[in-house]
Amino acid sequence: MRIAVVGSGYVGLVSGACFADFGHEVTCVDSNQEKIASLKAGVMPIYEPGLEQMVATNTKANRLVFTTDLAEAVSRAEAVFIAVGTPSRRGDGHADLSYVYAVAKEIAGNIQRFTVVVTKSTVPVGTGDEVERIIREENPAADIAVVSNPEFLREGAAIEDFKRPDRIVIGIEDERAREVMTEVYRPLYLNKAPLMFTARRTSELIKYAANAYLAMKITFINEMADLCEAVGSNVQDVAHGIGLDKRIGSKFLHAGPGYGGSCFPKDTLALVKTAQDYGSPLRLVETTVAVNDQRKRAMARKVARAIGTDVRGKTVALLGLTFKPNTDDIRESPAIAIIQGLQDGGAHVRAFDPEGMEAAKAYVSDVAFGGDAYEIANGADALVLVTEWDAFRALDFTRLKSLMKEALFVDLRNVYRREVVARHGFRYVSVGRPKEDITVALATAAE
Ligand code: NAD
């Protein structure tokens, strides 16, 4: 099948590469000439494990090409995927659909045959109706079916998620689209990935409901962590204890500094706005948004409290800047709010991230970036683990102790066990775990 993917960012590029890997003939389009030039040269504009290899293999096999020429790509395609950004609209938090609508307009004049236009971008309920209206208005003769097919991939595991999804949600209003979409996803369907067909407006809402639910689950355990600190319980055991209940499940129950990234913050906000517009407010989601916003900044105060008195003039070294490991995405990362909070208090901030330092420069200033954990820890008053990259899972605490001015380790991801860090003479602060870890004490007593 001939497929055009418009927008070659995280979602467009990964989708395009995977469709090509299924055996389809794919053209990835982007209006950013630099991005297309770099993709043509085999250089990935984003960090995503396995992507470079997959793009190289499929480009070589002539199944994957990159272009800025939307007209040519659309005129040849049987299915056109729209995968451009839908950021928060400045000022009101609604999803900014201007990129989606601009693409719809551009697509319209280039439709040559029956074409399925698929919105893969995360878009509010009713966007498919508007995309269809725009195309029909621009080109009344266009034979199209507009479909919703939201994407659920996670950055850092994008290829795995795309190729082994829990489900593929497809919202259709025209039966002809069912056949085309089944053909597009046939290789996954054969692998028994459930293909769920529903109405277009329902499909659009499923994506937001999924993200809001996951954001709520994270926020629930984060608040529970605060309660654990207050009452002397261990949030990891609480998470384990409830996660074993199949009705709850263990995923997304890791307490930390709050969710970030390019999706949850903007999608929860957009859903709240849609719900308000329709007079059916989602109070749980509204509270999730507010609690999470406050939490990121509260983490800076937590670090300050751990340091003790005033952070003015203190040097704080941060491990990790990206909103999660295995991505270079810094958007809405808790690290940004933590850095700003510490700097507002007068601290000097240093940071190291395996992939995110370049991107971080656009969001923070006056941060001294280093080449590894030990370089930034040298002479620091506190070392703070913000993002749980694998590179930070086996730190040499003996070496760190010899380098740091004060042996203070703040673990905002609960990667370490208190006694392991304390053994090296560090003061250890984590999230939602008691000072004396009873689980460890019991295990030690039993030995
Ligand atoms: P992105 O910003 O990485 O990529 C968007 C791309 O679209 C950019 O390269 C941009 O140059 C291009 N573009 C914009 N206007 C264009 C036009 N008129 N013609 C051609 N190209 C154009 O965005 P992303 O992270 O891939 O997200 C895309 C959509 O997918 C969003 O709606 C997002 O919410 C959704 N989504 C993202 C993820 C994720 O993990 N990043 C996961 C699921 C869904």
Side-chain angles (χ1 to χ4, degrees):
M1 172 157 300
R2 284 190 307 280
I3 294 175
V5 181
V6 185
S8 304
Y10 267 101
V11 167
L13 183 54
V14 170
S15 307
C18 289
F19 285 147
D21 217 45
F22 295 167
H24 298 309
E25 225 180 282
V26 180
T27 306
C28 279
V29 183
D30 205 287
S31 50
N32 182 332
Q33 297 195 352
E34 257 174 59
K35 194 173 264 192
I36 291 299
S38 119
L39 282 165
K40 279 183 168 168
V43 180
M44 297 301 104
I46 51 165
Y47 173 77
E48 186 60 44
L51 185 62
E52 190 171 333
Q53 184 57 45
M54 184 180 280
V55 168
T57 310
N58 287 284
T59 310
K60 199 161 163 227
N62 291 324
R63 285 193 299 264
L64 181 61
V65 292
F66 298 100
T67 183
T68 52
D69 187 350
L70 180 140
E72 160 80 11
V74 169
S75 63
R76 297 182 66 246
E78 293 153 88
V80 179
F81 284 78
I82 302 175
V84 295
T86 49
S88 266
R89 196 162 68 191
R90 228 172 258 257
D92 66 7
H94 274 286
D96 179 353
L97 295 170
S98 56
Y99 303 99
V100 172
Y101 294 154
V103 171
K105 221 169 173 172
E106 258 190 281
I107 288 173
N110 296 292
I111 305 273
Q112 301 278 336
R113 60 175 67 74
F114 173 62
T115 307
V116 176
V117 177
V118 190
T119 315
K120 200 162 236 333
S121 301
T122 303
V123 294
V125 171
T127 304
D129 303 350
E130 183 61 12
V131 166
E132 182 165 350
R133 195 197 60 75
I134 290 172
I135 298 177
R136 294 204 187 289
E137 187 178 282
E138 287 287 312
N139 180 359
D143 188 12
I144 51 155
V146 175
V147 166
S148 157
N149 171 218
E151 183 49 57
F152 297 95
L153 62 76
R154 294 163 302 166
E155 290 176 17
I159 292 175
E160 175 67 17
D161 284 350
F162 196 92
K163 289 200 147 185
R164 267 173 274 280
D166 291 336
R167 78 304 204 186
I168 300 152
V169 175
I170 301 173
I172 55 169
E173 297 297 318
D174 179 332
E175 274 305 311
R176 293 178 300 169
R178 184 189 293 265
E179 223 174 282
V180 173
M181 294 305 285
T182 305
E183 189 56 32
V184 167
Y185 283 108
R186 183 180 300 284
L188 292 184
Y189 190 50
L190 294 176
N191 288 344
K192 305 260 185 301
L195 222 57
M196 177 191 164
F197 284 95
T198 179
R200 196 163 63 197
R201 290 174 80 94
T202 308
S203 166
E204 289 169 336
L205 192 55
I206 286 172
K207 172 64 190 178
Y208 280 99
N211 275 2
Y213 191 84
L214 293 172
M216 212 166 62
K217 206 171 170 191
I218 294 172
T219 306
F220 175 82
I221 204 66
N222 282 342
E223 283 205 304
M224 204 49 81
D226 291 347
L227 179 61
C228 283
E229 285 179 18
V231 301
S233 302
N234 182 327
V235 74
Q236 282 183 309
D237 287 349
V238 171
H240 189 55
I242 62 174
L244 285 172
D245 186 327
K246 287 192 186 64
R247 293 168 303 176
I248 296 173
S250 60
K251 301 236 172 91
F252 282 73
L253 284 180
H254 300 287
Y259 63 77
S262 62
C263 292
F264 285 1
K266 78 170 174 65
D267 292 346
T268 43
L269 206 54
L271 180 61
V272 161
K273 293 292 169 182
T274 301
Q276 286 170 354
D277 281 358
Y278 282 84
S280 181
L282 293 169
R283 284 190 294 272
L284 282 176
V285 186
E286 286 173 11
T287 304
T288 298
V289 171
V291 169
N292 191 67
D293 279 350
Q294 287 157 15
R295 184 168 188 83
K296 293 183 194 173
R297 196 81 182 182
M299 290 298 112
R301 292 195 292 277
K302 183 180 177 83
V303 174
R305 266 199 314 279
I307 289 175
T309 49
D310 201 352
V311 294
R312 192 163 300 280
K314 303 280 184 191
T315 299
V316 184
L318 300 193
L319 296 174
L321 293 164
T322 52
F323 78 97
K324 66 174 178 180
N326 298 322
T327 175
D328 57 359
D329 203 335
I330 217 85
R331 290 176 277 186
E332 303 284 340
S333 172
I336 300 169
I338 294 171
I339 290 172
Q340 286 163 351
L342 289 168
Q343 287 178 334
D344 287 352
H348 305 296
V349 178
R350 295 181 189 161
F352 166 68
D353 187 284
E355 296 292 338
M357 291 193 288
E358 242 349 274
K361 287 174 187 164
Y363 293 85
V364 292
S365 51
D366 297 324
V367 173
F369 296 103
D372 64 17
Y374 306 97
E375 188 184 330
I376 61 165
N378 198 352
D381 294 281
L383 185 61
V384 185
L385 199 160
V386 183
T387 316
E388 68 280 31
W389 284 90
D390 280 348
F392 306 145
R393 288 182 181 274
L395 293 169
D396 180 344
F397 283 100
T398 310
R399 189 171 162 206
L400 286 171
K401 176 84 177 10
S402 72
L403 290 170
M404 292 179 65
K405 188 164 162 211
E406 295 292 334
L408 169 61
F409 188 70
V410 182
D411 182 358
L412 297 181
R413 297 289 181 173
N414 289 346
V415 165
Y416 287 93
R417 283 172 33 191
R418 175 179 304 281
E419 79 278 11
V420 171
V421 184
R423 200 184 295 144
H424 293 89
F426 272 83
R427 247 185 337 115
Y428 178 75
V429 175
S430 62
V431 177
R433 296 191 295 179
K435 293 211 166 39
E436 249 348 287
D437 196 328
I438 188 73
T439 324
V440 175
L442 290 174
T444 318
E447 276 169 12

